[in-house]
Amino acid sequence: MQKAVQVAGVSALAMAMFFSSVGDSLARQCRIKGKEASDLVLMSIGTDLRFSGNCGIGRSKIVGTVTIKNVGEKKVPIVNAPLISVWDVDQPKFKDEDRTLQVLDPGESLTKQIRAGRFMSGRKLDGVHWFQIKVDRRGKVKECNKLNNTWPRLVRIRINCP
């Protein structure tokens, strides 16, 4: 019995070391053609979109914040395109895009204010709206993983304007 416990312990240790080394190698695989690369991701902490409660013409109907982080090994350079985009899936003009030129070092995060939905007409916007959030929507940053650039689900926001 003692021998079986000892073998199980050695086996568990070997498995842990194997998965640990696989995890380490995956963490270091943020490369493009053998060179270090950036990797932008949307963060759940610091990302929050909601109805502003303000229904005035020209006012932002959706407000909140979006946080991104560079989890790659290389600095994200200044790009002449928005890094963060938020838009209504059914009404693409109901959007906000960050126009700030920004540099993000490895491990650095950035939180931006979102203000979407500045319609200049008295058109009704009541109801449920589904928003998509994406980082580097235009693909200007060379990244090792573009699959984590889109928020994993649509954001449901109910607008209630009288």
Side-chain angles (χ1 to χ4, degrees):
M1 176 74 166
Q2 186 178 12
K3 193 149 189 117
V5 170
Q6 189 177 26
V7 169
V10 170
S11 177
L13 179 61
M15 293 279 283
M17 290 175 60
F18 171 75
F19 284 118
S20 173
S21 66
V22 168
D24 290 345
S25 65
L26 288 176
R28 282 189 243 122
Q29 288 181 358
C30 190
R31 299 187 179 281
I32 298 174
K33 296 182 181 177
K35 295 183 180 180
E36 291 180 343
S38 306
D39 186 14
L40 294 171
V41 296
L42 289 157
M43 304 296 290
S44 58
I45 295 174
T47 296
D48 174 39
L49 298 180
R50 63 194 174 285
F51 171 51
S52 70
N54 193 334
C55 295
I57 294 174
R59 302 289 183 154
S60 301
K61 307 303 184 276
I62 305 301
V63 297
T65 56
V66 173
T67 299
I68 61 173
K69 185 172 185 175
N70 179 8
V71 296
E73 301 172 353
K74 186 176 180 183
K75 175 172 40 175
V76 174
I78 292 176
V79 292
N80 192 14
L83 277 181
I84 301 170
S85 301
V86 175
W87 69 96
D88 186 322
V89 173
D90 298 316
Q91 301 178 48
K93 289 186 178 182
F94 195 29
K95 68 179 178 181
D96 188 21
E97 290 189 305
D98 164 48
R99 299 248 178 239
T100 305
L101 301 176
Q102 190 72 40
V103 171
L104 279 177
D105 288 322
E108 189 176 17
S109 61
L110 168 72
T111 301
K112 286 292 190 177
Q113 296 293 316
I114 297 298
R115 298 193 173 284
R118 294 185 185 109
F119 280 110
M120 300 311 286
S121 70
R123 192 167 96 178
K124 283 277 194 184
L125 297 173
D126 288 353
V128 173
H129 292 261
W130 296 94
F131 283 83
Q132 183 70 67
I133 307 171
K134 189 163 187 169
V135 62
D136 190 28
R137 184 176 179 183
R138 292 174 176 84
K140 299 289 185 178
V141 177
K142 291 182 181 177
E143 297 181 69
C144 62
N145 183 3
K146 295 229 179 244
L147 297 177
N148 57 11
N149 285 13
T150 302
W151 193 252
R153 65 192 184 293
L154 297 177
V155 179
R156 180 184 188 267
I157 299 175
R158 177 174 258 313
I159 297 179
N160 185 18
C161 291

